[in-house]
Structure formats: C-alpha cells, structure tokens
Amino acid sequence: MTDVTERTALVHLEDIGKHYGNVRALDGVSLEVHAGEITCVLGDNGAGKSTLIKIVAGLHRHDAGTFRIEGEESGLSSPREALDRGIATVHQDLAVVPLMPVWRNFFLGSEPRKGFGPFKRLDVDLMRRTTREQLLRMGIDLRDVDQPIGTLSGGERQCVAIARAVYFGAKVLILDEPTAALGVKQSGMVLKYVAAARDEGLGVVFITHNPHHAYLVGDRFVLLKRGTMVGSHTREEITVDELARQMAGGNELDDLRHELERTPHGGDRQDAGR
C-alpha cells in the first residue's frame, strides 16, 4: 500500500500570498489536501480563512507562491473552472432557495431534461429519485424530498449540500464553517457526513474556529493568525488539548493570565488603579 505522503496531493498550496492594496491578507500559507483525508484550517475572525477559501474556490487569484491541482501548477480564474477541476465549495450561507423542494435545490443549475426540441422539459421523476437515493447513500433519511429545503434544520441543509457535491463528482470539498451556527446535536450530524465524504474518497478542507470539532474528524491541521500560518500538524503530531491551546493563542494566553491574576488581597488591581 502506498503511503499517503508519496501520493500526489489533490490540492497543494505552497507559500501562498495575497494582498489587497496595502493590506496583507495571506502570507506564506501552505496546505495539502489528499484523497480520503480531511485537512482542517483553523483560525479566529480575520485570520485569513475566507481569503484562503476564495483562492482555492477560484474566486480570487493568489499573488505569491504556487498552487497545484493534482501536481499541475494552476491559477483558477473562476468558480466554474474550480468546479470543472473537481473543487466544490459549500459556503456558510449554502446558496439554497428556501421555498423550493429539496430535490430542486439538489439539482439547482444542473437540472436534467427529457424530450426533444420544444417538448424538452425537466425530468422531475429522475431528480426526485436521484435525490432520495443519493441522500440515503450518505446516510441521510429525509422524510420527504418534496418538502421545501427551508423547512430543514441547518444541519440537514448542510448534509444535503455535501451529498450534492459528492454526487456531482467533486474530488475536493471545501466546507466553510459548517458547524458555526449549529447546536451540539446538529454539529454532530454534520461532522458525521463530513467523515462520510472523506470515506467516499474526497479530499475535504474543513474551515472552522472550533478545535474540538476539527480534532474529531481531521487528519491534518493548519492554524492561521492574521494571514500567516502559525502551525501545521498531522493528527499524530498533536493532541486536541495542544491544538486548542495553539488556537487560543498559546503563550499569549499564558501572558494574559499572568496579567489578570490578583494577589490574595486584590493588590494588583489596586496598584493598577493608582
């Protein structure tokens, strides 16, 4: 069996940089995405996660570094080109039409048709059947694919989006904070389907600010802070506690704790006010 480090990465970013005028959004960021693995990108707001997503998804071009897709140096010019190269992105807002049924959202923009010429029409039966089958294949048992997608929970909508990307042949799946606005139970549901996408052989990029969610499913971890990479680890190299510590600021948090410590009589606070 070939070791994962010997396989060509589906996506490989090396020393990527991106500037908007005088603002440095990314500087020297590297990551690898392999088939059947989950690469987690962690960072607080303003860390550069959104810019990184936009580069991999084809929305923005990088200014520095190299971007390779399956070993070939690339510079994506649009999200459509990214999709054509097998890179699908599930954004936080999901871009669904709430009042349309689940099956219509599943095929939105890629609807199959039947008939010829002026008699060509949507193949509704095929879309309903395929949606139901693909959701079941991912372990998603919806009550009714005819119900408006807006009636589903946030976790269920995320899962439909993941199943859609798998069905349409994505090789790389980018998930932008899929558990950010969800409770514990729904987050667990989404993480299960993130793992299911990995088990289907996709390379998954899981963007999150939650180190505990990342460690439950992740194989690789990249930590960003103010546009720079402050850590890159495989699962074997780091524990969840250390990942959480680095995510929280590590030594900076220790320094802050010392600054905020009180003496038994509150002396530090009294002295600080003099």
Side-chain angles (χ1 to χ4, degrees):
M1 186 174 177
T2 304
D3 188 87
V4 71
T5 57
E6 297 175 2
R7 303 202 312 260
T8 300
L10 294 174
V11 168
H12 184 194
L13 277 65
E14 187 173 357
D15 291 329
I16 290 293
K18 179 66 182 177
H19 290 72
Y20 300 101
N22 294 325
V23 177
R24 182 191 66 178
L26 288 178
D27 186 18
V29 174
S30 301
L31 67 81
E32 293 181 16
V33 183
H34 289 270
E37 283 193 356
I38 298 173
T39 298
C40 299
V41 179
L42 299 101
D44 285 328
N45 292 336
K49 304 191 303 295
S50 295
T51 303
L52 188 64
I53 291 171
K54 289 172 182 175
I55 290 172
V56 181
L59 282 164
H60 293 174
R61 291 181 68 95
H62 55 291
D63 299 326
T66 55
F67 179 2
R68 294 187 178 89
I69 300 175
E70 297 185 274
E72 177 187 343
E73 190 162 344
S74 306
L76 298 174
S77 58
S78 68
R80 171 50 60 185
E81 186 181 352
L83 279 171
D84 291 343
R85 299 293 299 271
I87 300 172
T89 304
V90 178
H91 294 284
Q92 209 169 340
D93 59 11
L94 293 178
V96 297
V97 183
L99 295 179
M100 281 187 176
V102 173
W103 61 265
R104 189 68 190 270
N105 275 277
F106 191 92
F107 281 93
L108 196 61
S110 302
E111 294 88 348
R113 298 175 182 272
K114 62 182 179 180
F116 300 95
F119 303 104
K120 211 167 186 182
R121 62 194 186 280
L122 294 178
D123 194 340
V124 174
D125 290 339
L126 175 63
M127 286 190 279
R128 281 193 180 117
R129 184 172 66 252
T130 302
T131 300
R132 190 174 292 109
E133 289 171 354
Q134 293 304 313
L135 293 179
L136 282 172
R137 176 182 172 185
M138 293 289 289
I140 307 167
D141 187 8
L142 287 185
R143 297 174 295 280
D144 182 7
V145 296
D146 282 301
Q147 68 188 102
I149 200 167
T151 64
L152 302 184
S153 69
E156 288 172 327
R157 290 197 297 272
Q158 288 281 353
C159 297
V160 170
I162 292 169
R164 183 184 192 277
V166 172
Y167 173 71
F168 281 102
K171 296 179 182 178
V172 175
L173 178 61
I174 306 169
L175 299 168
D176 178 16
E177 299 271 11
T179 62
L182 304 180
V184 174
K185 185 175 180 180
Q186 289 192 40
S187 293
M189 176 199 307
V190 172
L191 292 174
K192 184 170 75 170
Y193 298 123
V194 171
R198 173 201 62 201
D199 294 343
E200 287 280 335
L202 278 69
V204 180
V205 181
F206 179 27
I207 313 291
T208 183
H209 63 269
N210 190 316
H212 298 284
H213 288 174
Y215 203 80
L216 282 170
V217 295
D219 299 290
R220 299 169 185 266
F221 308 95
V222 173
L223 290 98
L224 300 181
K225 182 178 181 181
R226 296 174 189 166
T228 62
M229 190 169 69
V230 294
S232 180
H233 312 278
T234 62
R235 188 180 184 84
E236 294 75 24
E237 294 170 345
I238 195 167
T239 65
V240 64
D241 290 339
E242 179 59 22
L243 187 65
R245 181 178 179 277
Q246 289 191 22
M247 176 71 189
N251 293 333
E252 292 181 14
L253 198 63
D254 291 338
D255 292 341
L256 179 61
R257 185 181 298 113
H258 290 309
E259 287 180 27
L260 297 177
E261 279 179 354
R262 295 197 230 175
T263 63
H265 300 291
D268 286 350
R269 291 205 168 188
Q270 292 172 3
D271 292 341
R274 289 176 185 170

